């Protein structure tokens, strides 16, 4: 039996990172992330150039959780738990199918250190083991090879391409690669 991801706000810990609620005290790091052009080349989220806009987003994160829409989590290194280095999203929960979608972005100063891979692993384990979710999926632009590798390292399967099937802000109509992992999937290929 699965539990709704919106019953309680998660705090997810692994060996090197913690995914936690984003608070007002995270504004500076959140602004660094959402105002960094490199992080939005392959994203449906628009770049934010105004700190006040990002401050308002923190309140919207809480609202989106209460509306059972999206869970936004700050990705933190355990050695610096007060500083977020990225943002993970858990959204589009479909109870009838028992599936959910994930997304993530990491400050480019932390790329190439395995942090995104560990974040996806921690989220995946939480969703399967704690909530009993059956299917986790992610949508990635074909050009975003780094993000595809993060998913493949976490035993997600590439299902195919949705050709010109979504409108992403700032990109127009885009192709998207679909990746998924089922709770029953073998984690060794």
């Amino acid at each position: 039996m699965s539990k709704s991801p919106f019953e309680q706000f998660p705090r997810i810990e692994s060996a090197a990172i913690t995914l936690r609620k984003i608070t007002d005290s995270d504004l500076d790091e959140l602004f660094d992330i959402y105002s960094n052009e490199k992080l939005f080349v392959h994203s449906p989220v628009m770049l934010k150039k105004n700190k006040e806009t990002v401050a308002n987003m923190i309140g919207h994160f809480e609202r989106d959780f209460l509306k059972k829409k999206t869970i936004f989590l700050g990705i933190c290194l355990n050695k610096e738990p007060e500083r977020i280095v990225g943002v993970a999203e858990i959204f589009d929960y479909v109870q009838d199918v028992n599936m959910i979608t994930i997304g993530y972005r990491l400050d480019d100063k932390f790329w190439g250190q395995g942090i995104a891979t560990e974040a996806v692993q921690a989220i995946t384990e939480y969703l399967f083991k704690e909530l009993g979710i059956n299917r986790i999926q992610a949508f990635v632009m074909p050009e975003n090879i780094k993000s595809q590798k993060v998913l493949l390292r976490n035993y997600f399967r590439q299902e195919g391409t949705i050709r010109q099937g979504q409108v992403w802000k700032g990109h127009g109509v885009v192709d998207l690669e679909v990746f998924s992992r089922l709770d029953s999937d073998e984690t060794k290929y």
Side-chain angles (χ1 to χ4, degrees), residues 86-98:
V87 177
E89 300 166 32
I90 302 171
F91 59 101
D92 287 347
Y93 174 56
V94 182
Q95 186 173 359
D96 295 349
V97 181
N98 194 14

Side-chain angles (χ1 to χ4, degrees), residues 109-157:
K109 293 186 282 293
F110 297 90
W111 287 359
Q113 299 176 32
I115 297 166
T117 299
E118 188 162 341
V120 169
Q121 180 182 358
I123 291 167
T124 302
E125 285 182 16
Y126 169 77
L127 292 171
F128 286 149
K129 292 180 179 161
E130 301 294 320
L131 300 183
I133 297 291
N134 182 55
R135 175 185 164 94
I136 303 169
Q137 62 186 13
F139 299 93
V140 183
M141 290 181 82
E143 309 82 45
N144 193 350
I145 303 301
K146 285 183 180 184
S147 190
Q148 292 180 37
K149 287 181 178 176
V150 165
L151 293 164
L152 292 169
R153 280 194 290 270
N154 277 288
Y155 307 104
F156 279 69
R157 294 185 186 175

Side-chain angles (χ1 to χ4, degrees), residues 12-103:
I12 305 168
E13 297 182 26
S14 72
I17 64 164
T18 296
L19 295 112
R20 63 160 174 83
K21 188 173 193 171
I22 297 169
T23 66
D24 291 336
S25 64
D26 297 315
L27 178 59
D28 289 341
E29 289 89 11
L30 197 65
F31 181 69
D32 286 348
I33 292 165
Y34 278 92
S35 63
N36 184 339
E37 287 183 28
K38 288 183 194 171
L39 307 190
F40 294 90
V41 172
H42 304 297
S43 172
V45 178
M46 295 295 286
L47 190 71
K48 309 288 187 254
K49 297 193 189 274
N50 180 320
K51 208 170 206 179
E52 194 175 303
T53 303
V54 176
N56 289 333
M57 287 171 55
I58 296 171
H60 292 167
F61 292 167
E62 178 77 15
R63 183 195 67 195
D64 287 348
F65 174 77
L66 295 172
K67 285 184 169 182
K68 301 181 188 304
K69 193 173 153 192
T70 305
I71 300 169
F72 289 90
L73 294 165
I75 303 169
C76 307
L77 303 177
N78 288 342
K79 62 186 178 195
E80 255 189 302
E82 70 290 339
R83 178 181 181 204
I84 63 169
V85 299
V87 177
E89 300 166 32
I90 302 171
F91 59 101
D92 287 347
Y93 174 56
V94 182
Q95 186 173 359
D96 295 349
V97 181
N98 194 14
M99 108 181 148
I100 204 154
T101 305
I102 62 168

